[in-house]
Amino acid sequence: MLFTKLDGDNWSARAARAGFPILVEYVREGNRNITYGQWDAEIVKRGLGKHVFLTQYGRPAGMIGDACAQYAENAGIAVPPINLMVVNKSNNLPGHGANYYIQQFCRTKIGRKVDADKLTAGQKRAIIDQAQDEILAFRDWEKVLKAYGLAESEAGKVIASGIKTKRRHPDPDGWHRGPESEAHKALKQRIIDNPRLVGLKRDSEGELEQRLWSGDRLDVYFAGADLAVEVKAVEAGFDELHRGIFQCVKYKAVLRAQKIHDRQVPVGDSVLAIGGHLPSALREVAALFDVAVFENLMP
């Protein structure tokens, strides 16, 4: 098997070979993305190149995407296009040159052709989010690097070894059980009456207890935005709020799976709306899984 997509002595090939291990390192750290500016700074900081105009990184990113596709074809496995984690700081989206890889990802993931030039920013962001989920979940990046004669960075090896601060696990005994509290009912209705509390337009129409195909029921659902809202009352403690973040992870995945099932762009999302304040330790967890949190919502 020949892996040649990163061969060459031009600047783009050298930058791709220098930059690929850095992307893998960022994935190891649990990062969903890296901006073109951060990528450039990392390459320079490590003595692997000099600063260039950020627009020039489109070509190395594309070469890395091609390398992922070549490895997938030769190894007979699905490899997500890791170049889709490189984004513009201004809009959190890859540059226009990534449209080809977005289209290829959609062809593989939802089974139909998508014209990336005609996607709205929201639709494109949802696709990128789905791709980044798969980039984070992929476990064979080291094998892909080795196929192209590259080594994982030393920082990435430390991260992979498990040397990191342990996060607090939830205690199921701290989860809410029993009948729904009046405070929870009131907060759900307040969100229905005031969609702007969760970042939507004032006239957005919501409904209570919408059922997903997984059998789960959503506290609040806004069909126009395909947005699930997991609600936690003001009395919810650390363990119940921790659970809420993971409920959001699940609901977003199911909403998007329903769209993929129907060969539609997977734009579904889920947010956490809480009556009180989110502990700082849980802000890190919410950010890790890209869960937006709206807090202090009780009047």
Side-chain angles (χ1 to χ4, degrees), residues 117-155:
D117 289 323
K118 295 181 179 178
L119 295 172
T120 66
Q123 290 173 326
K124 186 174 287 189
R125 190 167 288 110
I127 293 168
I128 295 300
D129 194 35
Q130 185 76 29
Q132 290 170 352
D133 284 344
E134 298 198 10
I135 291 166
L136 282 169
F138 187 68
R139 290 291 173 264
D140 287 334
W141 287 121
E142 186 177 1
K143 292 181 181 178
V144 180
L145 290 177
K146 285 183 177 179
Y148 290 97
L150 303 175
E152 190 172 358
S153 71
E154 290 302 315

Side-chain angles (χ1 to χ4, degrees), residues 105-112 126-127 130-131 133-134 213 226 252-268:
F105 179 77
C106 286
R107 187 188 300 273
T108 301
K109 191 65 182 177
I110 64 178
R112 71 178 180 88
I127 293 168
Q130 185 76 29
D133 284 344
E134 298 198 10
W213 294 358
D226 203 14
K252 179 168 72 171
V254 174
L255 285 170
R256 294 187 174 185
Q258 291 177 182
K259 292 292 188 182
I260 292 171
H261 177 276
D262 288 345
R263 294 186 173 87
Q264 298 177 28
V265 174
V267 294

Side-chain angles (χ1 to χ4, degrees), residues 37 71 81 132 172 181 186 201:
Y71 184 91
Q132 290 170 352
S181 70
K201 294 180 179 179

Side-chain angles (χ1 to χ4, degrees), residues 198 227-231 248 269-273 291-294:
V198 291
L227 181 72
V229 183
E230 176 59 24
V231 177
C248 288
D269 206 351
S270 180
V271 301
L272 181 62
V291 173
V293 181
F294 297 88

Side-chain angles (χ1 to χ4, degrees), residues 141-203:
W141 287 121
E142 186 177 1
K143 292 181 181 178
V144 180
L145 290 177
K146 285 183 177 179
Y148 290 97
L150 303 175
E152 190 172 358
S153 71
E154 290 302 315
K157 290 176 183 177
V158 171
I159 294 162
S161 71
I163 303 173
K164 56 179 77 72
T165 302
K166 186 176 181 180
R167 296 187 179 99
R168 174 179 165 182
H169 287 193
D171 181 357
D173 289 337
W175 294 346
H176 174 75
R177 291 179 173 81
E180 182 179 18
S181 70
E182 291 303 316
H184 190 258
K185 293 178 183 178
L187 183 51
K188 290 195 302 183
Q189 191 59 50
R190 185 163 190 250
I191 292 168
I192 289 281
D193 296 337
N194 301 277
R196 287 180 295 182
L197 291 174
V198 291
L200 299 179
K201 294 180 179 179
R202 181 174 55 186
D203 58 354

Side-chain angles (χ1 to χ4, degrees), residues 12-129:
S12 294
R14 294 195 304 272
R17 292 194 296 270
F20 198 169
I22 293 172
L23 299 186
V24 173
E25 178 185 323
Y26 266 59
V27 170
R28 292 285 202 187
E29 292 174 335
N31 294 295
R32 301 184 64 82
N33 56 45
I34 179 174
T35 67
Y36 290 101
Q38 289 173 320
W39 202 22
D40 175 73
E42 290 286 356
I43 288 173
V44 173
K45 180 176 69 176
R46 299 166 196 230
L48 302 175
K50 297 181 180 180
H51 286 296
V52 299
F53 289 113
L54 300 185
T55 53
Q56 292 182 243
Y57 280 103
R59 178 57 182 155
M63 293 181 71
I64 292 171
D66 292 341
C68 291
Q70 184 181 56
Y71 184 91
E73 182 179 359
N74 281 282
I77 63 171
V79 180
I82 197 172
N83 56 311
L84 292 185
M85 71 179 290
V86 186
V87 299
N88 289 299
K89 183 179 179 180
S90 60
N91 60 10
N92 221 34
L93 290 172
H96 185 268
N99 281 357
Y100 168 79
Y101 304 95
I102 291 173
Q103 291 171 174
Q104 293 301 108
F105 179 77
C106 286
R107 187 188 300 273
T108 301
K109 191 65 182 177
I110 64 178
R112 71 178 180 88
K113 185 177 180 181
V114 169
D115 187 344
D117 289 323
K118 295 181 179 178
L119 295 172
T120 66
Q123 290 173 326
K124 186 174 287 189
R125 190 167 288 110
I127 293 168
I128 295 300
D129 194 35

